[in-house]
Amino acid sequence: MSEIPETAGDVVWQSSPPGSIYDYIRVASFSIGPDGLIEQWSVRAEEQFGLAASAVIGRDPVEAFMPCELRPRGHLRVAEILDGKEWTGVVPFRLPSAEGGERPEGLAELYVMPSRTATDERAALCIVVDVRALRGIETDLAASQAIFGQSPYGFLLFGTDLTVLRANQRFATVFGGAPEEHRGHTVHDYLSRPEAERMSAALRRVLDTGESVTDLQIVGAAPGGTDRRHWSINLYRVHSGTGHPIGVAGLGIDVTRRHNAAREAADARRNLALLNEAGARMGNSLDLETTARELLDISVPGFCDLASVDLYQSLLAGGEPAPGQADGRGELRRVAVASAVPEGRLAGASGASGAPRGEGNAEEEQDGEGEVGVGDLHRYPFHSPYARALRTARVHTVPGADGSLVHTTLAVPMVAHDTVVGLVRFARAKGSEPFGERDRALATELASRAAVCIDNARLYRREHERALILQRSLLPPGDPEAAGLDIACRYLPGSAESEVGGDWFDVIELPGHRTALVIGDVMGRGLRAAVAMGELRTAVRTLALLDLEPAEVLSHLDEIARGLGAPGGTQQAPRVSHKSRDADLSEVYLATCVYAVYDPVSRRCTFANAGHLPPVLVEPGDDPGAPAMLLDVPPGLPLGVGGEPFEEVEVELPEGALLALYTDGLVESRDHPLDEGLNAFRKTLTDPDRPLEDVCDQVLGSLDTRHGEDDIALLLARIQGLPADAVGDWRLPREPRSVGRARELARAQLLAWDLDGLVDTTELLVSELVTNALRYGDGEIRLRLLRDRTLVCEVWDAGLVQPRRRRARDTDEGGRGLQLVGLLSAAWGARRTPRGKTVWFELALPDGESGPVELTEEQILSMF
């Protein structure tokens, strides 16, 4: 029995709990009487020796248990004990078996204490312990002590109240003090509150359920230290011999190195993943802003919490580095911003986004920013870390300001081909790990890759803009206008990258309010085809100004095309073998072309075709839904082939008809033959009364053009002839009085048109042209006045001699008529006709503010 004092003077008696030390060491007792025989035999002795009390009481213990050779000494010891002497020792014994033999010998540790009977006779009380059980306990204790005390890991034993019962030396070495000084402490004495609560919850769970916890990750710092340590904790419940829980054992292993190594490995894998993603995503679009956004999409939040990209404005415009760029003070444009933190908190993030501050404040000089939005222009102060990064082309680390959301910012210059193109800034908010050397290296690599992509995009944009300028310069500007025609057009280059191609169209104003409509297709794509197209278009315009017939224009254009690919631009020799000619043709720019001249007075159009697709005509009044008509214009050979003349076809076009000129990219593709494309195109042109812009959109939206395979050009013209009251046409006999008659007719017509301000000038110029026709021409004279956007006067005769403007001598009485025409008219010229020639001049219509044209003194003197 054990007694536990509760209060002073009060003792509570209770039984020892099961599983006490006595259960383990197997203590037994018996007594020897004055006669040296066993008097009492305990129940524990029965269990230990395997003999009932009835079998041993009254027997000599020496004779009963000891081997024969030890019995003499045993009797002497018993006699000494009965004489009052205590004795302790180890005694071997052997016990009879149930079969009549003897069991193997055992060892008993015997403690004999003299005693007296009620009659004052000497006796003895014997305490017996099984030596084998005792040695096992000693071994277990030694092993436990070795594990607990000599373990290289921290070891704690918590009681059921979760206080420390025992700590080993390793734990004390880490957390200070002697092992016994930690008795009674709790986990809150060693860990921060969040980690201590996690640890306490785990201890309670283990104690309640008996389920062990392995590899519980705990983060903290040793007392007096600042280094973050990582421990792996293993917890298991400790039981008594009967299975009763008596506490929780905890084994802690410092895994900081392993954690750091794992974190570095994870960082390395993350960095490789970011670089792989950067290589796969960035630079595919060849767009500056898109590439910058792709960089930030990769970086936030995988690498940082906030980021922005600034690019030099001069480089964005496609120019060379601007003054101040070399020292980091050049003007930059913010092209992209990304954030993984709430937008409302960005205002407090120094260096995260913002506009440039002034240079007067030291803190502002360090940062250099406030609020800068995407697309805003700004400059960094010269002494700011961002300007230094741009100036030195090296990464600079910028700590966050006090009270700022940002912990650290990396200012990383974007360097491509030894040129700094901008700055990318990676920032981490407080609570995130600071940037390390690996992070600096990764930031540099990301910025470098983005810089190369951005520089490529910049170069592409510059070349692309130059190509667009070239293309636009080769096509009619805006919506072309022509007398007697309503025009709409579309151009789609086949190359989406360069947006230039070899298809072209043109609308050229000719004398007499006539219009030349041109459409062509250089065989090939891209910039080379565009250059060839430009040369041919320039040649067409030059030939058109000569006012040649369409077939003549194509013949001259064919000769020019054959010379474009030859060395020095010379024509190919006509006498060559077929083999060498095929080789030379590879260097010749082959092209197809339709050249048409429309006269709004007669509404007649003359076509000539060089291997191009036939024009399409939709006449008004046709059945709704009926397909358009293909004009029968002889195709001829493409330009650059040569050897065959071109034919002309003259077609009278009805008022309100729709004429369509187009290139093969609109009606032909790999999957659809030409006939199918032509039929589909004709079916889309069924309503000539619709607005032309709508018709263009319908054509491009309805046809399966497979745009991207070839260039597409479409030119639509609605026929609107000059009204009869806008034309004055007279024939004059070949006699001197026709000069005065011409003046009278011109005056009357201009007054009828309310063009009083042009009467005097027109009379004078008409008189000069009719006089020249009488003097130098042949046959009947024809005078025609046309009023549209300008006033045109034409004088026709049958003479073939073209008028030539010359400077008259001071003594000449005449020869100054054409000089006068050139000075007073907006334009003048002469052209051949099938029966002679036509001399014409053009006057601008008065706008209500300008008066009649008057010659200055210098202009008058220039004629002499």
Side-chain angles (χ1 to χ4, degrees):
M1 302 289 289
S2 63
E3 51 185 86
I4 304 176
E6 294 286 343
T7 58
D10 185 18
V11 177
V12 178
W13 296 81
Q14 66 179 15
S15 300
S16 299
S20 65
I21 190 64
Y22 301 105
D23 293 327
Y24 288 101
I25 61 177
R26 301 177 62 83
V27 177
S29 65
F30 63 91
S31 63
I32 302 175
D35 54 0
L37 302 179
I38 298 175
E39 286 188 341
Q40 294 178 336
W41 191 255
S42 67
V43 176
R44 188 67 72 95
E46 290 183 355
E47 297 174 359
Q48 183 170 342
F49 292 100
L51 296 174
S54 58
V56 296
I57 292 178
R59 295 186 56 186
D60 186 346
V62 176
E63 297 292 335
F65 303 110
M66 297 186 68
C68 296
E69 63 274 11
L70 297 179
R71 288 175 182 174
R73 293 179 58 190
H75 287 297
L76 292 177
R77 294 296 184 191
V78 172
E80 292 177 353
I81 292 170
L82 292 177
D83 287 340
K85 183 178 180 181
E86 292 186 1
W87 180 80
T88 302
V90 177
V91 179
F93 63 92
R94 55 186 178 184
L95 300 174
S97 65
E99 292 80 12
E102 291 185 350
R103 292 186 292 180
E105 290 186 358
L107 289 176
E109 186 170 292
L110 188 62
Y111 178 44
V112 182
M113 297 174 289
S115 63
R116 290 185 178 274
T117 65
T119 59
D120 200 27
E121 292 181 288
R122 293 183 178 181
L125 176 63
C126 301
I127 303 298
V128 183
V129 178
D130 188 341
V131 174
R132 290 174 299 177
L134 187 60
R135 295 295 181 266
I137 292 174
E138 291 176 348
T139 303
D140 291 344
L141 290 175
S144 298
Q145 181 62 30
I147 294 174
F148 195 86
Q150 302 173 21
S151 172
Y153 308 119
F155 210 111
L156 287 176
L157 181 61
F158 295 92
T160 55
D161 58 354
L162 303 186
T163 60
V164 176
L165 297 179
R166 188 175 179 185
N168 70 344
Q169 183 60 46
R170 176 59 181 169
F171 182 87
T173 301
V174 174
F175 288 92
E180 57 272 11
E181 294 178 3
H182 294 275
R183 186 185 302 274
H185 288 186
T186 66
V187 291
H188 290 272
D189 297 322
Y190 307 107
L191 302 175
S192 63
R193 181 175 179 179
E195 294 294 272
E197 290 178 352
R198 289 180 58 228
M199 184 73 173
S200 296
L203 288 169
R204 177 59 60 189
R205 187 168 60 253
V206 171
L207 187 63
D208 293 342
T209 65
E211 296 179 359
S212 301
V213 172
T214 58
D215 199 21
L216 174 64
Q217 297 292 318
I218 296 295
V219 180
T226 58
D227 294 340
R228 288 165 57 92
R229 311 299 296 178
H230 294 261
W231 292 285
S232 174
I233 307 298
N234 298 311
L235 304 175
Y236 58 92
R237 191 168 67 181
V238 180
H239 306 87
S240 66
T242 60
H244 184 73
I246 61 174
V248 177
L251 178 66
I253 303 173
D254 191 336
V255 293
T256 304
R257 290 184 179 180
R258 186 177 70 187
H259 176 81
N260 292 340
R263 184 182 62 183
E264 291 183 1
D267 290 345
R269 288 193 297 269
R270 180 206 62 185
N271 294 353
L272 288 176
L274 288 175
L275 290 177
N276 289 336
E277 186 178 4
R281 293 182 57 181
M282 284 195 305
N284 296 324
S285 64
L286 285 178
D287 181 77
L288 292 166
E289 291 77 7
T290 301
T291 302
R293 287 194 298 269
E294 288 171 346
L295 170 62
L296 300 193
D297 290 342
I298 294 168
S299 305
V300 179
F303 176 67
C304 62
D305 302 312
L306 304 153
S308 64
V309 177
D310 299 322
L311 300 178
Y312 278 117
Q313 177 63 17
S314 61
L315 299 181
L316 283 174
E320 297 301 323
Q325 184 167 318
D327 58 12
R329 290 186 297 178
E331 192 174 43
L332 298 111
R333 181 182 295 274
R334 173 118 338 141
V335 296
V337 172
S339 172
V341 298
E343 293 296 331
R345 303 180 64 190
L346 278 175
S350 174
S353 65
R357 301 173 180 170
E359 300 188 17
N361 183 280
E363 183 178 347
E364 293 176 351
E365 183 79 5
Q366 174 74 10
D367 188 344
E369 284 221 341
E371 283 294 332
V372 171
V374 175
D376 293 345
L377 297 176
H378 65 99
R379 299 176 187 270
Y380 288 113
F382 181 78
H383 296 293
S384 68
Y386 307 111
R388 286 198 298 270
L390 290 168
R391 187 165 55 250
T392 61
R394 298 178 61 184
V395 181
H396 281 65
T397 301
V398 184
D402 295 338
S404 167
L405 175 66
V406 169
H407 179 275
T408 312
T409 299
L410 289 181
V412 187
M414 307 178 73
V415 183
H417 309 117
D418 297 329
T419 300
V420 178
V421 300
L423 183 77
V424 57
R425 308 191 323 172
F426 302 107
R428 286 184 178 173
K430 291 183 177 178
S432 300
E433 293 187 3
F435 291 108
E437 289 301 319
R438 289 180 180 270
D439 296 324
R440 290 169 61 92
L442 176 62
T444 303
E445 181 64 22
L446 287 174
S448 176
R449 294 192 180 193
V452 172
C453 295
I454 286 175
D455 193 54
N456 291 338
R458 176 184 68 86
L459 296 175
Y460 166 76
R461 174 179 289 185
R462 184 179 66 183
E463 298 304 320
H464 181 249
E465 289 177 351
R466 291 177 179 177
L468 286 181
I469 293 173
L470 170 64
Q471 185 74 59
R472 291 164 183 161
S473 67
L474 300 179
L475 295 174
D479 295 328
E481 296 182 356
L485 293 175
D486 183 15
I487 296 176
C489 52
R490 293 289 188 275
Y491 175 78
L492 299 176
S495 174
E497 291 79 14
S498 62
E499 295 192 19
V500 296
D503 290 11
W504 90 93
F505 62 89
D506 210 343
V507 179
I508 307 171
E509 294 187 40
L510 299 178
H513 287 315
R514 295 170 305 137
T515 302
L517 302 175
V518 189
I519 195 160
D521 182 2
V522 174
M523 296 182 184
R525 295 171 58 185
L527 189 58
R528 181 178 179 183
V531 171
M533 177 267 284
E535 294 176 327
L536 293 177
R537 178 177 179 271
T538 302
V540 170
R541 279 190 160 267
T542 303
L543 294 172
L545 293 178
L546 297 177
D547 210 353
L548 303 175
E549 295 298 323
E552 292 184 76
V553 171
L554 292 186
S555 295
H556 290 295
L557 199 61
D558 176 62
E559 295 179 2
I560 294 172
R562 282 186 289 162
L564 289 179
T570 60
Q571 291 187 6
Q572 295 178 4
R575 298 179 180 178
V576 293
S577 66
H578 292 290
K579 181 176 181 181
S580 61
R581 182 173 178 80
D582 292 340
D584 291 336
L585 283 176
S586 64
E587 297 298 329
V588 173
Y589 294 93
L590 299 179
T592 62
C593 180
V594 169
Y595 186 87
V597 176
Y598 171 69
D599 187 345
V601 178
S602 63
R603 294 199 315 275
R604 302 187 68 83
C605 189
T606 304
F607 295 92
N609 190 348
H612 202 79
L613 295 174
V616 174
L617 181 66
V618 184
E619 296 185 355
D622 287 348
D623 295 336
M629 175 177 59
L630 292 176
L631 294 181
D632 187 13
V633 179
L637 295 177
L639 301 176
V641 176
E644 295 291 338
F646 297 97
E647 300 182 36
E648 292 181 358
V649 172
E650 188 175 66
V651 180
E652 184 174 349
L653 304 177
E655 183 77 18
L658 180 62
L659 178 66
L661 303 178
Y662 54 96
T663 58
D664 58 357
L666 184 66
V667 296
E668 186 177 22
S669 67
R670 296 176 183 176
D671 300 331
H672 300 283
L674 179 60
D675 292 342
E676 291 184 8
L678 283 174
N679 291 333
F681 176 49
R682 292 166 57 198
K683 291 179 180 178
T684 61
L685 300 174
T686 56
D687 187 2
D689 298 328
R690 293 184 59 188
L692 289 186
E693 295 295 332
D694 295 345
V695 176
C696 288
D697 294 337
Q698 180 185 4
V699 169
L700 295 179
S702 301
L703 298 182
D704 185 11
T705 60
R706 299 295 176 94
H707 179 232
E709 296 181 1
D710 198 2
D711 307 325
I712 294 176
L714 175 63
L715 178 63
L716 298 181
R718 177 173 287 117
I719 305 304
Q720 298 172 347
L722 286 181
D725 59 0
V727 180
D729 195 349
W730 306 274
R731 296 182 183 275
L732 303 173
R734 192 171 187 79
E735 55 188 29
R737 64 179 182 176
S738 294
V739 177
R741 178 60 179 163
R743 287 197 299 267
E744 292 175 0
L745 294 172
R747 169 183 285 274
Q749 186 64 67
L750 292 181
L751 292 176
W753 286 340
D754 295 327
L755 298 178
D756 302 20
L758 298 181
V759 170
D760 294 340
T761 303
T762 304
E763 278 189 312
L764 176 60
L765 298 184
V766 166
S767 176
E768 291 293 334
L769 294 188
V770 174
T771 300
N772 283 346
L774 289 173
R775 181 176 299 179
Y776 303 108
D778 293 319
E780 188 180 37
I781 298 173
R782 181 181 177 186
L783 172 65
R784 188 167 76 168
L785 294 179
L786 306 176
R787 185 197 66 184
D788 192 68
R789 290 175 297 165
T790 60
L791 176 68
V792 175
C793 176
E794 297 176 330
V795 176
W796 306 38
D797 69 79
L800 299 178
V801 179
Q802 294 287 323
R804 182 174 59 88
R805 184 176 177 178
R806 63 183 179 85
R807 180 176 295 277
R809 294 188 296 271
D810 295 342
T811 58
D812 291 343
E813 296 182 0
R816 297 178 179 86
L818 293 181
Q819 287 182 273
L820 189 63
V821 172
L823 290 174
L824 294 177
S825 65
W828 78 278
R831 69 176 186 274
R832 297 175 185 173
T833 64
R835 295 183 180 86
K837 67 177 181 296
T838 299
V839 183
W840 58 273
F841 67 84
E842 184 175 345
L843 296 176
L845 298 181
D847 55 7
E849 298 180 359
S850 60
V853 178
E854 297 182 359
L855 296 179
T856 63
E857 182 179 351
E858 290 78 5
Q859 290 175 326
I860 296 175
L861 292 177
S862 68
M863 295 187 294
F864 297 91

